[in-house]
Amino acid sequence: MLPQPINIAEKFSLFDSTWTPHIIGELNGQYVKLCKLTDEFVWHSHEHEDELFMVFRGTLIMDFRDDHTVEVKEGEILIVPKGVEHRPRTNGEIVFNMLFEPKQTQHTGEVESELTVKEQQWI
């Protein structure tokens, strides 16, 4: 199969759910995922995987357990190192976000929540 461009705006238009990553690509053992975020997610960490957040629209707010908070604006990325507990959230707006993470990364790490997605879909 020959490589084809992926239209990210088009992919974002295919879903409205929040906190539910959708897979759009795969490379070097990693998935490229899109998700829409709003309000607050759960505190969690990924013991063995770093996680990259890339913001396309809005402002992502990332809280860390040491009371450190980072704002990630449109066009910026944030890499959360493995083992670091974090909680993504927004100021109420819907944030369009892309994630890069190893294929085996569990959505909420070892934390089980009503927001945990066990099977992520390709779009």
Side-chain angles (χ1 to χ4, degrees):
M1 180 179 187
L2 295 174
Q4 296 293 318
I6 298 169
N7 184 310
I8 294 170
E10 178 184 304
K11 294 293 188 182
F12 272 119
S13 76
L14 298 177
F15 65 95
D16 291 317
S17 58
T18 57
W19 302 112
T20 304
H22 295 79
I23 303 166
I24 64 165
E26 179 179 343
L27 74 157
N28 300 320
Q30 300 218 2
Y31 281 140
V32 179
K33 303 175 184 178
L34 298 181
C35 56
K36 293 178 181 177
L37 317 174
T38 191
D39 300 321
E40 230 174 65
F41 199 50
V42 297
W43 284 101
H44 68 285
S45 65
H46 305 282
E47 185 177 349
H48 302 289
E49 303 93 14
D50 300 327
E51 192 173 24
L52 185 147
F53 295 82
M54 176 182 230
V55 176
F56 279 84
R57 182 185 300 167
T59 300
L60 172 65
I61 302 164
M62 189 68 70
D63 295 326
F64 297 96
R65 282 291 188 190
D66 66 358
D67 292 328
H68 178 198
T69 297
V70 175
E71 286 192 1
V72 189
K73 299 182 184 325
E74 290 180 21
E76 295 182 333
I77 66 169
L78 176 69
I79 299 170
V80 177
K82 61 185 162 201
V84 173
E85 195 171 14
H86 57 285
R87 178 183 62 187
R89 62 184 173 92
T90 76
N91 61 9
E93 67 182 331
I94 294 182
V95 173
F96 286 32
N97 183 65
M98 180 184 283
L99 294 162
F100 294 86
E101 53 192 17
K103 289 168 58 173
Q104 72 273 13
T105 302
Q106 295 178 10
H107 186 223
T108 54
E110 298 298 317
V111 174
E112 287 290 327
S113 149
E114 66 277 354
L115 296 175
T116 300
V117 176
K118 298 204 183 247
E119 302 227 3
Q120 298 172 23
Q121 302 299 312
W122 280 82
I123 58 170

